[in-house]
Amino acid sequence: MAATSHPDATLAALDVLRVGGTAADAAVAAAAVQAVVDPHMTGVGGDCFVLYAPAGREPVALNGSGRAPAALRLETLGGVAALPDDSPHTVTIPGAVAAWEALIERFGKLGLDRALDPAIRFAREGWRVHPRVGRDWRAAQARLARGPGRDHLLRDGEAPRIADRMESPALAGTLERIAREGARGFYEGAVARAMTARLAALGGAHREEDFARAAAQWAAPISAPYRDRRLVEHPPNGQGLAALIIARLLSRFDLADAALSEADRAHLLAEATKAGYRMRDAIVADPDVTKVDVEGALSDATIDALASHIDMSRAAPAGAFDLPAQRDTVYLTVVDRDRNVCSFINSIFHAFGSTILCPTTGVLFQNRGLGFSLTPGHPNALAPGKRPMHTIIPGLIMQGERVETSFGVMGGQYQAAGHAQFLSRMVDLGEDPQQAADASRSFAADGKLTLEATHTPDTADELRRRGHEVVVSSDPMGGCQAIRIDWERGVLIGASDHRKDGFAAGF
C-alpha cells in the first residue's frame, strides 16, 4: 500500500511495488514524481527525513537535510533581524537526492534509476496541474511575480490553471543524469556547476565544494510512550522532539473521557503545543554542533513541570516563535509485501522554496536557511556547514515491537502538534486513520489559536472565553497520510487527507 498527497505519486509507488520493489524503492519513486508535479511543495532542491522499519520492526532514521555553505557566516549578514525568504543566503545545500540514494542502497532492490523512471517520464512528456496544486500556485502568484524565478514559474505573469499541461525538460535532464550517475551526478559535475553559478550570481556564498560534501546520515530514532503505544520520531535537527513533548504532556490527561468537549481537546492541545514549542525553540539544533538533551527534555521531571502550568479553564500566555509559521511539504508512506515500512517526508519549505530556479537544471531551491536563528550564541544560530532546525518530521506509532501505524502530517510549524493530535485521536478515541486525518484541526502559534472553519461556533466561543485569541480560517491546515497495519488479520488500512489531491491505495 502507498499513501501520498498526489494521485500520480501513489500510482507510481504502486507500479514499483507490483514489480517487486521495496517500500524504499516505492517511496523514492513517489517523492521524485512529486518533485515534478508538486513543484510548490517539494523538489530535488529540497531536503527529506525518513523513518524506515524493516519488516515493521526496529526503525532507523535517515537525515537528508542540507548544510549552510562553508563560506556563509552570521557576521557577514550585517546584523539583520531576518532574511528575505527569496535570499540566496536562505538556500542550504539540498539533501534530498543524497538521502534518496542512501535509502535505496540500503533497503531497495530495483535501484535509483528504476525509481526515477516515472518522474523522468512526467518531466519529459508532461503532467497536469491538479486542483490543490493549482489553488496553491495561484495563492503564490504575487510572491512569484516579484521573485528571481518569475520567468520560469509563471506563464506571462500568471499561475497555470487547474488541468493545464506542464513540462519540465530541464528537470528531466537532471533526473536522467542522477539515474545514470547516482547522487554524484547531482552534487558534482555539470549540474553542481550550474547550481553554484546560479546562486553565486544572486550573491550566494555557495561553492561547488559545498555540493560535493553533501551526504545523508543514518541515526537512531527518538521515542516516548503514549498509553500502551510508543510514538517514534526523527531525532534533531528536526522538530520531532516537540511532538514527543506534546504527546507526553497530553498523556497526563484522560483524553478518552467522553465528557470532554471539542473545546476541551483544542484547549489542551494548544497549551501542550505552546509548552513543547517553547522547549523546541530553546534547544533543538544540529546535533553535530550542539548536544541536544533529548532524555532531559522528555524526563518525568521536565514533563511534570510543564504540565503543572496547564490550566483547563484558562489559556497560558503564548511563547514567542522564532520561525516562519506556514510552509510547504509532501509526506508519503509505503508498506510493502514484506511489511517493510517507510515513513517519508520531503520539502522545499516555503511555497516554491526560495523561488530561485536554476534554468539549465530545472532545480528549484529550498529556503531552509530561514530555520536558523540569527541571534549569536543561540544553539540554532547560523554557522558554516551547519544544518538548521527543520519542521518536517515523519512519524511511526509502535505497539510492542511492531509498527502499528506509519504516518505524517504536513504543514510547517503545525506538524509536531498535528502528530500529537493524530496520535490522540487514534489511541484515545479509537478512530481509524482516515477519521483521525480528516478531523478538524487547531493550532496555537504566534499568540493566536487558529481553528479550521469546520469547528462549531460554540467551540470557538468557549475557547475565547478561556482567553485564547481565536482565528477561524477557511484555509486547510496541513495534510496527512497514514497506513495502519493490522498484523493479526493481515490487513493494511490506508488514509489520505481530504485537504490534498492524493489518495491511499494498495493491492
Side-chain angles (χ1 to χ4, degrees), residues 170-187:
L171 181 56
T174 296
L175 291 168
E176 288 166 344
R177 184 179 290 270
I178 297 168
R180 288 194 310 269
E181 303 176 14
R184 66 184 180 88
F186 182 80
Y187 293 108

Side-chain angles (χ1 to χ4, degrees), residues 231 233 331 333 343 394-397 405-409 419 422 481-482:
L231 176 62
E233 296 284 349
Y331 172 81
T333 179
S343 185
L396 295 171
I397 300 171
T405 304
S406 176
F407 77 103
V409 179
H419 276 216
F422 181 88
Q481 274 72 238

Side-chain angles (χ1 to χ4, degrees), residues 29-74:
V33 165
Q34 290 199 253
V36 177
V37 303
D38 248 347
H40 64 300
M41 291 283 184
T42 189
V44 295
D47 294 328
C48 80
F49 291 91
V50 183
L51 292 172
Y52 198 88
R57 300 172 183 270
E58 297 182 20
V60 294
L62 178 61
N63 188 326
S65 64
R67 300 176 183 274
L72 182 61
R73 288 169 169 77
L74 190 57

Side-chain angles (χ1 to χ4, degrees), residues 115-249:
L116 296 184
D117 274 351
I120 292 169
R121 188 170 62 253
F122 278 115
R124 182 70 67 193
E125 298 177 7
W127 48 279
R128 297 284 177 180
V129 176
H130 279 251
R132 179 63 195 271
V133 177
R135 176 192 185 278
D136 290 345
W137 210 319
R138 176 66 61 178
Q141 180 175 297
R143 177 172 177 256
L144 295 177
R146 60 178 181 268
R150 56 185 168 273
D151 293 337
H152 308 282
L153 299 172
L154 297 175
R155 290 176 162 179
D156 298 323
E158 297 286 328
R161 297 177 302 167
I162 294 168
D164 276 357
R165 183 177 179 277
M166 308 291 287
E167 296 176 349
S168 312
L171 181 56
T174 296
L175 291 168
E176 288 166 344
R177 184 179 290 270
I178 297 168
R180 288 194 310 269
E181 303 176 14
R184 66 184 180 88
F186 182 80
Y187 293 108
E188 299 175 19
V191 173
R193 283 194 297 275
M195 292 191 294
T196 302
R198 174 61 173 148
L199 292 166
L202 295 170
H206 307 75
R207 302 292 181 266
E208 286 185 52
E209 309 89 81
D210 296 313
F211 285 91
R213 282 192 291 266
Q217 287 187 348
W218 293 100
I222 57 177
S223 65
Y226 189 83
R227 318 300 185 203
D228 63 341
R229 310 300 207 281
R230 178 165 289 273
L231 176 62
V232 179
E233 296 284 349
H234 200 287
N237 53 317
Q239 67 165 334
L241 179 58
L244 296 178
I245 293 170
I246 297 168
R248 290 273 280 148
L249 286 167

